[in-house]
């Protein structure tokens, strides 16, 4: 199914992500039970790319998964558009293509989903998103993984923190210290000068 997705007609990225997930979830649910830890990556990965390190982060986790060091549970793609005042380069859309290609190359079925577009500048913004009841694909993916596995989960955050923050507010019972570890690899909140790019985009979610 990955070959068909790669060479098929041009389609909406969210439709492609949904097709990937349908192809992945059955094999993924069987494989996830034999690993010691589940890894989830959140990333501001774009096509065309904005920062080459995002591709390295993605490939690195696939390499560890191929060596059976971990089970790569899913990829959460940021939907933020880069701020032209911070990064003048023109960047594209969430890179579903990169995940499709690595799924095909490695034969590891990893689902992906795109995150929320709504900025979170204060606590009220968080409550507005949650109370709306709108399904956000990346949050549904994360909560689904946490609900379906008894294994400990590591969330590697190499982009924004918006979607994980929202997920933790929607289902705080799934984010217990004995089950979930969160690694923020996107700079600091107050100490760094200038602030790291993702922190500058949405400082409240890092605070």
């Amino acid at each position: 199914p990955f070959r068909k997705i790669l060479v098929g007609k041009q389609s909406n990225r969210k439709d492609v992500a949904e097709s990937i997930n349908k192809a992945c979830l059955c094999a993924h649910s069987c494989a996830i039970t034999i690993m010691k830890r589940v890894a989830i990556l959140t990333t501001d990965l774009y096509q065309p790319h904005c920062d080459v390190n995002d591709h390295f982060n993605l490939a690195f986790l696939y390499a560890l998964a191929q060596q059976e060091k971990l089970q790569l549970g899913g990829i959460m793609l940021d939907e933020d558009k880069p701020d032209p005042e911070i990064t003048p380069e023109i960047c594209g859309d969430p890179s579903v293509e990169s995940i499709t290609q690595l799924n095909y190359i490695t034969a590891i079925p990893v689902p992906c989903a795109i995150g929320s577009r709504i900025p979170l500048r204060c606590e009220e913004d968080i409550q507005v998103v949650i109370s709306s009841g709108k399904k956000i694909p990346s949050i549904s993916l994360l909560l689904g993984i946490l609900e379906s596995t008894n294994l400990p989960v590591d969330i590697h955050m190499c982009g924004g923190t918006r979607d994980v923050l929202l997920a933790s507010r929607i289902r705080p019972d799934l984010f217990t210290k004995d089950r979930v570890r969160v690694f923020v690899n996107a700079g600091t909140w107050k100490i760094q000068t200038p602030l790291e790019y993702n922190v500058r985009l949405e400082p409240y979610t890092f605070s």
Side-chain angles (χ1 to χ4, degrees):
F2 303 129
R3 182 185 296 275
K4 293 179 180 178
I5 294 171
L6 278 170
V7 303
K9 63 181 181 180
Q10 184 70 26
S11 59
N12 181 279
R13 281 178 168 80
K14 290 188 176 180
D15 293 337
V16 173
E18 184 177 349
S19 298
I20 293 172
N21 291 348
K22 287 179 180 178
C24 290
L25 286 175
C26 181
H28 181 276
S29 62
C30 296
I32 203 168
T33 60
I34 65 172
M35 300 293 183
K36 293 181 179 179
R37 300 196 72 89
V38 179
I40 298 170
L41 175 67
T42 73
T43 177
D44 53 343
L45 181 70
Y46 296 102
Q47 180 66 34
H49 70 82
C50 176
D51 190 344
V52 69
N53 81 284
D54 297 308
H55 294 272
F56 175 82
N57 296 335
L58 185 70
F60 187 81
L61 283 179
Y62 270 91
L64 290 176
Q66 198 164 47
Q67 296 175 55
E68 300 186 351
K69 303 292 186 182
L70 52 80
Q71 168 65 40
L72 186 51
I75 311 295
M76 301 168 64
L77 293 164
D78 290 353
E79 179 65 322
D80 288 323
K81 289 297 181 183
D83 188 332
E85 293 184 4
I86 302 174
T87 303
E89 294 85 359
I90 297 175
C91 302
D93 296 309
S95 187
V96 173
E97 298 92 334
S98 298
I99 297 162
T100 305
Q101 289 170 341
L102 280 171
N103 281 350
Y104 177 69
I105 292 168
T106 63
I108 301 174
V110 180
C112 68
I114 297 172
S116 172
R117 293 183 176 181
I118 304 171
L120 301 179
R121 301 185 181 91
C122 59
E123 183 63 28
E124 287 75 14
D125 290 343
I126 296 174
Q127 296 307 318
V128 167
V129 174
I130 293 174
S131 61
S132 72
K134 183 179 179 181
K135 297 292 184 182
I136 299 170
S138 68
I139 295 176
S140 297
L141 174 64
L142 173 57
L143 294 180
I145 293 170
L146 293 177
E147 289 172 344
S148 63
T149 181
N150 293 321
L151 296 175
V153 175
D154 293 338
I155 302 174
H156 298 275
M157 305 180 73
C158 296
T161 57
R162 177 188 302 169
D163 299 316
V164 175
L165 174 59
L166 287 170
S168 69
R169 294 296 187 87
I170 294 169
R171 288 292 306 276
D173 57 300
L174 296 176
F175 288 81
T176 57
K177 290 182 179 180
D178 60 327
R179 291 197 63 228
V180 178
R181 300 189 302 186
V182 178
F183 298 89
V184 181
N185 304 299
T188 56
W189 176 43
K190 285 185 176 179
I191 301 172
Q192 185 173 331
T193 304
L195 291 176
E196 191 272 340
Y197 173 76
N198 289 285
V199 181
R200 292 172 69 186
L201 285 179
E202 206 163 50
Y204 183 78
T205 65
F206 283 85
S207 63

